């Protein structure tokens, strides 16, 4: 098999997983990231369903399990003083024999990055400035003035992908706003309860706190917006102002939770989805959120990033001399999972839009119908295909 020189933009989840498997197949891989180092933030993300065998295949199951959060379930506050509605998700999932790993996003990125360090070349603080391709290679000019030539370029650079903008056109063609915003940060509070996600709701808004021992309390902010809010999405202080404005005027949650907005690990973005007819053009291909973001409200970001990266690397390993055939195979195999997860957002449960729907949600969750939530543990998960990662040389 011919050894390829491959550039990957994005060192979060999808990029390093693709890098691992491509390097495993003997290819030369460079990963770049716009940030000055590995980014740490993010709440617990789920390594679930077909992502589990990929992580097992990378030899990382023990490290991921060791870093996992001990999530027991949800408690929905009704009004101050009344008992919350308790959904013991762990017990519901145990009934159907389901297990997954929930791990802080930054920790997952670190575990995968560390597993690739020896075989992959990482460069931080740099992005693609210009890109030109023909039938045999891709020429790249980087933002630091250096340049390189590659057989393939993979854009794993997230919802606001620069690779997608340069090769496929403006973000507005592909990114679809789903009427919510999501923020996350850490705080110290008296209300966080070990392992339980405690929800405070007002119509169109939810604030959730979850305690994880020494890791502190994780706070999630989610709110509805009829149209996109105008702010500079790369300016973290501007992001903080957006969340503060949405939550500062009330007393329906413990006020110390707002300190999470000022935390260093604060993360904020719209709940948006990426929809593209084709994830590839010539020798350039997209993977993870860059190609098919389902949003944090799908709970499937890590699943889709890990499985997509594995399938892309597997398809390239299978057909290294025919990128178009490899990229078509990857998209064909990954698309059904993406379509399924993009349809299944949980904002209806976590952020009901009116006082009536909050009341209705609480009635349903305090009845035996809460069992529906074990549906987040699908019973018949299709087996992930195996690929021949025989060494290139
Ligand atoms: C700091 C951070 C915190 C997050 N927190 C959460 C969370 O709390 N909950 C949740 O559900 N999801 C969160 N996400 C998103 C989640 O990681 C993804 O939905 C999912 O895991 C898919 O990963 P990905 O690798 O495709 O994209 P992402 O995780 O978005 O990673 C994209 C990477 O590309 C880099 N990048 C961006 N632009 C460029 C460029 N032009 N050139 C090179 N590199 C670039 C970014 O720095 C980042 O490292 C977070 C992402 C980040 C980066």
């Amino acid at each position: 098999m011919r050894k390829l020189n491959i550039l990957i933009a994005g060192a979060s989840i999808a990029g390093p997983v693709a890098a691992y498997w491509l390097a495993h197949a003997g290819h030369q891989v460079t990963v770049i990231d716009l940030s000055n180092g590995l980014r740490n933030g993010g709440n617990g993300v789920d390594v679930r369903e077909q992502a589990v065998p990929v992580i097992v295949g990378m030899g990382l199951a023990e490290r991921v399990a060791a870093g996992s959060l001990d999530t027991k379930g949800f408690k929905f506050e009704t009004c101050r003083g009344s008992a919350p509605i308790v959904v013991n998700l762990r017990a519901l999932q145990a009934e159907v024999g389901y297990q997954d790993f929930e791990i802080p996003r930054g920790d997952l990125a670190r575990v995968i990055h560390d597993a690739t360090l020896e075989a992959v070349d990482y460069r931080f603080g740099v992005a693609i400035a210009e890109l030109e391709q023909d039938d045999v290679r891709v020429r790249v000019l980087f933002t630091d003035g250096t340049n390189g030539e590659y057989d393939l370029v993979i854009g794993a650079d997230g919802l606001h992908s620069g690779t997608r903008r340069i090769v496929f056109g403006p973000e507005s063609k592909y990114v679809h706003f789903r009427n919510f915003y999501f923020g996350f940060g850490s705080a110290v509070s008296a209300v966080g309860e070990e392992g339980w996600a405690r929800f405070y709701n007002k119509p169109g808004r939810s604030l959730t706190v979850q305690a994880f021992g020494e890791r502190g309390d994780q706070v999630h902010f989610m709110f509805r917006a009829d149209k996109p809010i105008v702010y500079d999405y790369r300016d973290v202080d501007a992001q903080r102002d957006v969340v503060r404005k949405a939550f500062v005027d009330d007393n329906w949650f413990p006020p110390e939770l707002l300190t999470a907005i000022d935390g260093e690990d604060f993360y904020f973005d719209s709940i948006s989805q990426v929809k593209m007819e084709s994830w590839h053009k010539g020798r350039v291909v997209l993977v993870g959120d860059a190609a098919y973001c389902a949003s944090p409200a799908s709970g499937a970001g890590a699943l889709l990033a890990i499985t997509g990266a594995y399938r892309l690397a597997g398809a390239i390993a299978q057909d290294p001399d025919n990128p178009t055939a490899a990229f078509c195979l990857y998209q064909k195999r990954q698309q059904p999972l993406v379509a399924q997860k993009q349809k299944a957002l949980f904002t209806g449960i976590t952020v009901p839009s009116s006082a009536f729907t909050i009341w209705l949600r609480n009635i349903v969750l305090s009845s035996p119908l809460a069992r529906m939530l074990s549906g987040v543990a699908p019973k018949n998960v299709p087996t992930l295909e195996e690929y021949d990662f025989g060494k290139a040389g």
Side-chain angles (χ1 to χ4, degrees), residues 78-138:
T78 43
C79 50
R80 291 270 174 106
S82 318
I85 289 153
V86 179
V87 178
N88 189 330
L89 192 63
R90 167 107 44 88
L92 290 173
Q93 292 183 336
E95 276 181 29
V96 293
Y98 175 82
Q99 206 206 349
D100 64 7
F101 302 103
E102 186 187 354
I103 176 168
R105 191 213 66 92
D107 293 0
L108 179 63
R110 167 73 55 195
V111 167
I112 300 168
H113 168 264
D114 289 356
T116 55
L117 256 186
E118 269 182 29
V120 172
D121 183 22
Y122 279 90
R123 288 172 61 195
F124 287 96
V126 68
I128 298 172
E130 289 172 27
L131 182 154
E132 215 182 75
Q133 57 172 322
D134 57 30
D135 287 348
V136 288
R137 69 181 62 81
V138 190

Side-chain angles (χ1 to χ4, degrees), residues 319-349:
D319 212 345
D321 293 319
N322 191 346
T324 304
F327 297 164
C328 286
L329 178 70
Y330 144 67
Q331 178 162 354
K332 185 173 158 220
R333 290 193 166 157
Q334 181 68 356
Q335 188 105 60
L337 186 61
V338 170
Q340 183 199 345
K341 299 301 176 188
Q342 285 193 334
K343 263 191 253 153
L345 300 193
F346 50 66
T347 44
I349 291 177

Side-chain angles (χ1 to χ4, degrees), residues 9-14 32-35 39 41-43 45 105 126-127 156-158 162 182 184 267 287-289 296 301-302 305:
S12 176
I13 309 295
I32 58 166
D33 200 288
L34 189 60
S35 308
R39 295 178 66 186
N43 69 335
V45 293
R105 191 213 66 92
V126 68
D157 43 355
F182 169 79
F184 165 83
Y267 169 80
V287 66
D289 279 5

Side-chain angles (χ1 to χ4, degrees), residues 380-392:
N380 300 315
V381 177
T383 312
L384 196 64
E385 324 77 54
E386 285 188 16
Y387 296 89
D388 177 7
F389 288 96
K391 288 272 179 240

Side-chain angles (χ1 to χ4, degrees), residues 44-368:
V45 293
D46 291 327
V47 175
R48 58 191 311 202
E49 301 167 43
Q50 295 106 320
V52 176
V54 178
I55 291 295
V56 170
M58 294 169 75
L60 298 178
E62 269 182 31
R63 287 194 61 191
V64 170
S68 288
L69 303 169
D70 182 22
T71 300
K72 298 180 175 77
F74 311 124
K75 292 194 176 182
F76 294 90
E77 294 296 319
T78 43
C79 50
R80 291 270 174 106
S82 318
I85 289 153
V86 179
V87 178
N88 189 330
L89 192 63
R90 167 107 44 88
L92 290 173
Q93 292 183 336
E95 276 181 29
V96 293
Y98 175 82
Q99 206 206 349
D100 64 7
F101 302 103
E102 186 187 354
I103 176 168
R105 191 213 66 92
D107 293 0
L108 179 63
R110 167 73 55 195
V111 167
I112 300 168
H113 168 264
D114 289 356
T116 55
L117 256 186
E118 269 182 29
V120 172
D121 183 22
Y122 279 90
R123 288 172 61 195
F124 287 96
V126 68
I128 298 172
E130 289 172 27
L131 182 154
E132 215 182 75
Q133 57 172 322
D134 57 30
D135 287 348
V136 288
R137 69 181 62 81
V138 190
R139 287 184 201 85
V140 175
L141 173 67
F142 294 103
T143 48
D144 62 1
T146 58
N147 52 57
E149 277 193 13
Y150 302 90
D151 295 301
L152 304 175
V153 171
I154 299 176
D157 43 355
L159 178 61
H160 304 293
S161 167
T163 314
R164 190 184 57 223
R165 180 176 31 79
I166 291 169
V167 178
F168 297 83
E171 181 163 314
S172 53
K173 279 170 82 176
Y174 309 110
V175 174
H176 301 269
F177 179 55
R178 287 286 172 257
N179 296 99
F180 287 90
Y181 283 90
F182 169 79
F184 165 83
S186 301
V188 177
S189 83
V191 291
E193 200 180 329
E194 186 77 31
W196 290 94
R198 194 166 190 161
F199 280 79
Y200 298 86
N201 279 105
K202 277 273 171 180
R205 282 179 289 173
S206 87
L207 205 152
T208 314
V209 58
Q210 202 166 2
F212 291 108
E214 284 174 3
R215 294 171 190 269
D217 292 359
Q218 300 190 338
V219 183
H220 305 186
F221 303 86
M222 215 187 261
F223 62 94
R224 205 186 156 80
D226 290 335
K227 51 182 197 275
I229 299 171
V230 179
Y231 67 98
D232 177 358
Y233 71 81
R234 291 210 188 280
D235 177 349
V236 180
D237 284 331
Q239 299 173 357
R240 291 189 166 108
D241 283 345
V242 172
V243 181
R244 231 177 252 119
K245 263 193 205 135
F247 284 85
V248 84
D249 57 320
D250 291 292
N251 60 357
W252 46 279
F253 55 83
E256 71 265 27
L257 297 180
L258 286 180
T259 59
I261 297 174
D262 298 311
E264 264 191 20
D265 60 350
F266 178 72
Y267 169 80
F268 177 74
D269 214 324
S270 61
I271 297 288
S272 294
Q273 295 185 328
V274 174
K275 298 200 172 174
M276 303 179 75
E277 218 154 88
S278 174
W279 302 339
H280 51 97
K281 195 181 251 182
R283 298 186 156 261
V284 181
V285 62
L286 304 174
V287 66
D289 279 5
Y292 47 70
C293 178
S295 89
S298 70
L303 163 70
L304 294 176
I306 293 169
T307 50
Y310 168 80
R311 283 179 159 138
L312 172 60
I316 293 170
Q318 206 162 293
D319 212 345
D321 293 319
N322 191 346
T324 304
F327 297 164
C328 286
L329 178 70
Y330 144 67
Q331 178 162 354
K332 185 173 158 220
R333 290 193 166 157
Q334 181 68 356
Q335 188 105 60
L337 186 61
V338 170
Q340 183 199 345
K341 299 301 176 188
Q342 285 193 334
K343 263 191 253 153
L345 300 193
F346 50 66
T347 44
I349 291 177
T350 54
V351 203
S353 56
S354 64
F356 172 71
T357 46
I358 292 176
W359 173 82
L360 191 63
R361 186 243 358 235
N362 292 348
I363 296 283
V364 170
L365 291 184
S366 43
S367 76

